[in-house]
Amino acid sequence: MPKPEKGTPKDIANRMKAKGLQKLRFYCQMCSKQCRDENGFKCHLTSDSHLRQMKIFSENANTLLDSFSAEFEAAYIDTLRRRHGT
Protein backbone atom coordinates (compact mmCIF):
# COMPACT_ATOMS: atom_id res chain seq x y z
CA MET A 1 0.00 0.00 0.00
CA PRO A 2 1.54 3.34 -1.03
CA LYS A 3 2.19 6.10 1.47
CA PRO A 4 -0.23 9.05 1.39
CA GLU A 5 0.99 12.23 -0.29
CA LYS A 6 2.85 14.65 1.95
CA GLY A 7 0.59 17.27 3.55
CA THR A 8 -2.68 15.39 3.06
CA PRO A 9 -4.91 14.87 6.11
CA LYS A 10 -4.06 11.15 6.07
CA ASP A 11 -0.32 11.91 6.08
CA ILE A 12 -0.71 14.39 8.95
CA ALA A 13 -2.79 11.89 10.95
CA ASN A 14 -0.18 9.17 10.38
CA ARG A 15 2.66 11.44 11.53
CA MET A 16 0.73 12.52 14.63
CA LYS A 17 0.00 8.87 15.42
CA ALA A 18 3.68 7.97 15.03
CA LYS A 19 4.66 10.74 17.44
CA GLY A 20 2.04 9.65 19.95
CA LEU A 21 0.13 12.92 19.73
CA GLN A 22 -3.64 12.65 19.82
CA LYS A 23 -6.56 14.96 20.30
CA LEU A 24 -7.54 14.83 23.93
CA ARG A 25 -11.23 14.00 23.57
CA PHE A 26 -11.60 10.75 25.48
CA TYR A 27 -9.64 10.68 28.73
CA CYS A 28 -10.19 8.71 31.94
CA GLN A 29 -8.74 10.72 34.81
CA MET A 30 -8.92 7.82 37.25
CA CYS A 31 -6.73 5.60 35.09
CA SER A 32 -4.76 8.39 33.34
CA LYS A 33 -5.72 6.72 30.06
CA GLN A 34 -6.36 8.47 26.77
CA CYS A 35 -8.51 6.76 24.15
CA ARG A 36 -8.50 7.46 20.44
CA ASP A 37 -12.27 7.31 19.93
CA GLU A 38 -15.62 6.82 21.64
CA ASN A 39 -15.64 3.07 21.07
CA GLY A 40 -12.21 2.67 22.68
CA PHE A 41 -13.37 4.76 25.63
CA LYS A 42 -16.49 2.62 26.08
CA CYS A 43 -14.33 -0.51 25.99
CA HIS A 44 -12.02 1.04 28.58
CA LEU A 45 -14.96 1.83 30.88
CA THR A 46 -15.91 -1.85 30.95
CA SER A 47 -12.33 -3.15 31.32
CA ASP A 48 -11.14 -4.93 34.46
CA SER A 49 -8.42 -2.37 35.11
CA HIS A 50 -10.90 0.54 35.06
CA LEU A 51 -13.38 -1.27 37.27
CA ARG A 52 -10.57 -2.07 39.71
CA GLN A 53 -9.57 1.63 39.81
CA MET A 54 -13.20 2.62 40.43
CA LYS A 55 -13.41 0.17 43.33
CA ILE A 56 -10.28 1.71 44.86
CA PHE A 57 -11.80 5.16 44.33
CA SER A 58 -15.06 4.22 46.03
CA GLU A 59 -13.14 3.01 49.08
CA ASN A 60 -10.98 6.18 49.35
CA ALA A 61 -13.12 8.82 47.62
CA ASN A 62 -12.29 11.76 49.91
CA THR A 63 -8.56 11.11 49.90
CA LEU A 64 -8.38 10.85 46.11
CA LEU A 65 -10.59 13.90 45.54
CA ASP A 66 -8.44 15.92 47.93
CA SER A 67 -5.30 14.87 46.05
CA PHE A 68 -6.88 15.78 42.66
CA SER A 69 -7.93 19.16 44.09
CA ALA A 70 -4.47 19.86 45.51
CA GLU A 71 -2.83 18.85 42.22
CA PHE A 72 -5.19 21.10 40.25
CA GLU A 73 -4.66 24.03 42.61
CA ALA A 74 -0.88 23.75 42.41
CA ALA A 75 -0.94 23.60 38.60
CA TYR A 76 -3.38 26.52 38.42
CA ILE A 77 -1.29 28.72 40.73
CA ASP A 78 1.84 27.81 38.76
CA THR A 79 0.12 28.75 35.49
CA LEU A 80 -1.03 32.08 36.93
CA ARG A 81 2.46 32.76 38.23
CA ARG A 82 4.05 32.09 34.83
CA ARG A 83 1.43 33.96 32.81
CA HIS A 84 1.27 37.06 35.01
CA GLY A 85 4.80 37.08 36.40
CA THR A 86 3.98 37.17 40.10
Side-chain angles (χ1 to χ4, degrees), residues 24-53:
L24 189 59
R25 289 191 59 204
F26 299 96
Y27 184 75
C28 176
Q29 187 173 10
M30 288 302 305
C31 302
S32 300
K33 172 137 175 80
Q34 181 178 351
C35 299
R36 293 178 58 99
D37 56 17
E38 186 177 2
N39 186 45
F41 188 66
K42 285 180 182 177
C43 289
H44 167 70
L45 293 179
T46 59
S47 70
D48 289 337
S49 62
H50 177 76
L51 296 175
R52 192 172 30 246
Q53 286 285 20

Side-chain angles (χ1 to χ4, degrees), residues 71-83:
E71 183 180 332
F72 173 80
E73 183 180 6
Y76 183 70
I77 297 294
D78 187 50
T79 301
L80 286 176
R81 194 173 291 129
R82 280 188 273 131
R83 295 277 312 231

Side-chain angles (χ1 to χ4, degrees), residues 48-63:
D48 289 337
S49 62
H50 177 76
L51 296 175
R52 192 172 30 246
Q53 286 285 20
M54 293 308 292
K55 184 178 180 192
I56 292 169
F57 173 74
S58 67
E59 293 169 356
N60 302 321
N62 289 336
T63 306

